[in-house]
Amino acid sequence: MALTTINNSAAIALAASYCKVDVVASYPITPSTPITHELDKLYVNGGFPKFIPVEAEFSAISSLLGASAAGARTFSATCGQGLMLMHEALFSTAGLRLPVVMAVANRAISSPLNIWNDEQDSMCQRDSGWIQLYCKNGQEAVDTVIQAFKIAEKAMLPAMVCLDGFYLTHSVGQVDIPDRDKVAAFLPPYKNPCVLDPQNPLTVGAYAVPADYQDFREDLSADLEASARTIEEVGKEFGKAFGREYGLVEYHNCKDADRVIVTLGSVYNTIELVADALRAKGEKVGVAHLRSFRPFPAADLRANLGGKHVLVVERDISPGAVPPVYAELSEALAGTGSTVSVAAGLLGGREAKRQAFESLFERMKQGKVKGWFCSKEKKL
Amino acid sequence: MLAEIRFHGRAGQGMVTAAELLAAAAGAEGKYSQAFPVFGSEKRGPPVMSFCRISDSPITTYDQVSEPDIVVVADPSVLSSVNVAAGLKKGGIVIANCNCKASELGITDAKVFVVDGTKIALEHLHQPIFNTVMLGAFIKITGLVKMESVEKAIHEEFDEKSKAMADENVDAVRACYELAKKD
């Protein structure tokens, strides 16, 4: 393994070019701009055959929808308001079963305007039918982009590779860039079984009447759920080929833990540090990284965390209701004797000090926790 | 060994690049490193910070450096509006671009070093951009990375067409290295 000191965004773009992407369409928006910039730079230097310089994100995803239907392997990067602008076409891409892969540089959403990191942008696309994989560091982002093509093309579903804006998109560090030839061996060429082709005309995106529409939605739902197996298989294959294995959820010291914090994204790293320090003092605490949010690995979580006190640190909200990861985790752990807690917050770039996570673990000893995390107003 | 470094300056002065060059230099020496910025609304002028971590072992956290071992203040004008020593570890190091005495900065419980980086920037780069300049003082005072690693990182930052600019920056780093006093 040879480590390269590189900006994560450059590493992600390079990984996409090693995946032999045919068409890139991406519009710059902070903090996914460096990925778009690096993709464009690679295109100019022959890294991709086609880069469509679109005028907005809706065109980016729509172009890729078309390109993918024509049989191309496609990639984009966006975030925040850009992802919001794609919303309608995200559902179409999934419904048409087109394996577009896109990096999402998680960012807050307006209003008020904020360019900093949380995970509200991708969370509110959760019902779009896309696979959503979250990364806790730059290495995972690079590895997950490569895996995402294989997963998406096997499942015939689009996939988002979510990484925290700024924390991961703008950081320089050491990354093992997988070997180009090994990536080619890992990832077979993309073959869409029903390609738009003028020689063999067919209809893509046909009208579905009331008698049929629901059947398509049932299929989509079932196949997205079944893609969990594909994510696991591809994660194992990747481990064999590159030495880093991936699954649906990463569990750290959870087996004998009585208290576990579950989270997504780069904040996991800080919680792991805090949990390890508490472990050293004899506290039975663990941490879990929810790598796959779609499909939601309910059975996996139930098998590994059932009966424990599990708290979600969640960086998104659902105004007027409980936040989504908490809601889904509560359903997954129902009947196991688990207490499920939630601390939602760290929005728009608000950062928790390590002591705040220590306090959370401490607070869990007293029973269920539910409320805002790092709020100026309300103490948990 | 883990050294946590925080850079203070103003947007447009290359603070992000300073942290990245340092991370690249440390990486080239086989160390683990990390650099990332925090900035505001992406306009030139307001105070900005960037962070760098250098370690013998893999760096597994991405939170902001709130308790730095070393603080580099690249623009003297932020000293009046930003508490640059906030969270500095006891006995930590402050390296400030300032045409004054270290004792005049009013920072206690720290080893404070000053160097007139503005003078060097204007002489070598002909503009008030202090990022590479301050790396010269950083190398001299901390010894955390070697001069040749920073020079290599600077040359890699500029493309072939901008070699003259890279050379100017390397000269500025060297000049500031010479000017900075270790004690």
Side-chain angles (χ1 to χ4, degrees), chain A residues 3 5 7-8 30 115-116 136-138 166-168 170-174 266 269-270 273 349 351-355, chain B residues 4 20 23-24 26-28 31-42 53 59-64 66-67:
Chain A
L3 294 175
T5 303
N7 173 281
N8 290 330
T30 304
I115 57 168
W116 290 272
K136 63 178 164 53
N137 57 41
F166 289 112
Y167 288 107
L168 297 186
H170 284 59
S171 72
V172 170
Q174 283 69 43
S266 66
N269 304 292
T270 309
L273 272 186
E351 197 182 272
K353 291 259 189 307
R354 294 178 192 180
Q355 293 88 320
Chain B
E4 297 190 297
E20 288 180 356
K31 294 179 180 128
Y32 290 92
S33 60
Q34 179 192 70
F36 68 100
V38 55
F39 47 84
S41 55
E42 302 172 296
R53 289 186 170 101
I59 298 163
T60 57
T61 180
Y62 284 84
D63 55 356
Q64 294 178 16
S66 54
E67 293 175 9

Side-chain angles (χ1 to χ4, degrees), chain A residues 152-235:
Chain A
E153 290 164 12
K154 276 192 172 174
M156 288 309 284
L157 286 166
M160 286 179 202
V161 177
C162 304
L163 68 156
D164 286 331
F166 289 112
Y167 288 107
L168 297 186
T169 54
H170 284 59
S171 72
V172 170
Q174 283 69 43
V175 175
D176 174 35
I177 308 277
D179 178 71
R180 184 197 289 260
D181 294 337
K182 274 168 91 177
V183 173
F186 174 79
L187 185 65
Y190 168 50
K191 278 207 174 65
N192 186 335
C194 55
V195 176
L196 274 183
D197 175 4
Q199 301 308 314
N200 299 289
L202 55 87
T203 302
V204 169
Y207 196 82
V209 294
D212 303 322
Y213 176 83
Q214 185 177 321
D215 306 337
F216 286 97
R217 303 307 280 173
E218 284 180 20
D219 282 351
L220 174 67
S221 194
D223 288 351
L224 185 48
E225 206 177 318
S227 72
R229 281 288 296 279
T230 309
I231 294 169
E232 283 180 311
E233 283 163 16
V234 170

Side-chain angles (χ1 to χ4, degrees), chain A residues 254-323:
Chain A
C254 289
K255 265 204 177 112
D256 69 336
D258 47 41
R259 284 161 291 150
V260 173
I261 292 186
V262 176
T263 197
L264 312 85
S266 66
V267 73
Y268 170 89
N269 304 292
T270 309
I271 305 175
E272 191 189 88
L273 272 186
V274 170
D276 284 352
L278 290 173
R279 270 269 161 186
K281 291 184 199 162
E283 300 218 24
K284 285 192 171 172
V285 294
V287 205
H289 182 248
L290 187 59
R291 179 176 183 242
S292 171
F293 176 63
R294 281 292 178 272
F296 192 77
D300 197 293
L301 289 161
R302 195 177 164 88
N304 287 281
L305 301 179
K308 299 176 191 297
H309 185 173
V310 183
L311 181 144
V312 186
V313 167
E314 183 155 10
R315 313 189 57 210
D316 55 81
I317 56 167
S318 179
V322 294

